[in-house]
Every structure is written in structure tokens, then in C-alpha cells.
């Protein structure tokens, strides 16, 4: 798998993504977080996912 890994472009963090509908568009959503090793900088997104009732 390591040979397929590529750096994440900074623009995914710096550019807004306008959404016309709620996250998931009414469909069930799943958030997967890498923990071994942890991917730096993703904790705010994991906290957001944990805070949602859906």
C-alpha cells in the first residue's frame, strides 16, 4: 500500500467547498479515522463527526 500513497494537496484544507445540501444529503454517513499511525490535523473533523447524532 505504501507505494500508492501520495501527499494530500494543501488546497483541500484551504479552499471552501460550497454544499447545496446537508452533509450526506439525507443518507447515512460514516467517518473513518486512521489511528495507527494517527493522521495529523484530523482531530477537529473527528470531533465534528462524534458530535453529530446521525
Amino acid at each position: 500500500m505504501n507505494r500508492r500513497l501520495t501527499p494530500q494537496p494543501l488546497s483541500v484544507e484551504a479552499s471552501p467547498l460550497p454544499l447545496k445540501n446537508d452533509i450526506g444529503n439525507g443518507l447515512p454517513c460514516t467517518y473513518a479515522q486512521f489511528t495507527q499511525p494517527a493522521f495529523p490535523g484530523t482531530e477537529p473533523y473527528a470531533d465534528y463527526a462524534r458530535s453529530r447524532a446521525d
Side-chain angles (χ1 to χ4, degrees), residues 8-54:
Q8 183 74 12
L10 180 60
S11 63
V12 299
E13 295 289 329
S15 302
L17 175 65
L19 299 176
K20 296 179 184 175
N21 301 303
D22 289 336
I23 294 174
N25 200 19
L27 299 172
C29 296
T30 300
Y31 179 82
Q33 182 181 24
F34 295 95
T35 59
Q36 296 295 325
F39 191 72
T42 60
E43 197 57 38
Y45 307 110
D47 291 343
Y48 173 77
R50 285 187 206 102
S51 74
R52 294 186 53 99
D54 59 346

Side-chain angles (χ1 to χ4, degrees), residues 1-6 34 36-37:
M1 183 172 101
N2 284 342
R3 65 186 173 90
R4 298 181 188 266
L5 294 177
T6 59
F34 295 95
Q36 296 295 325

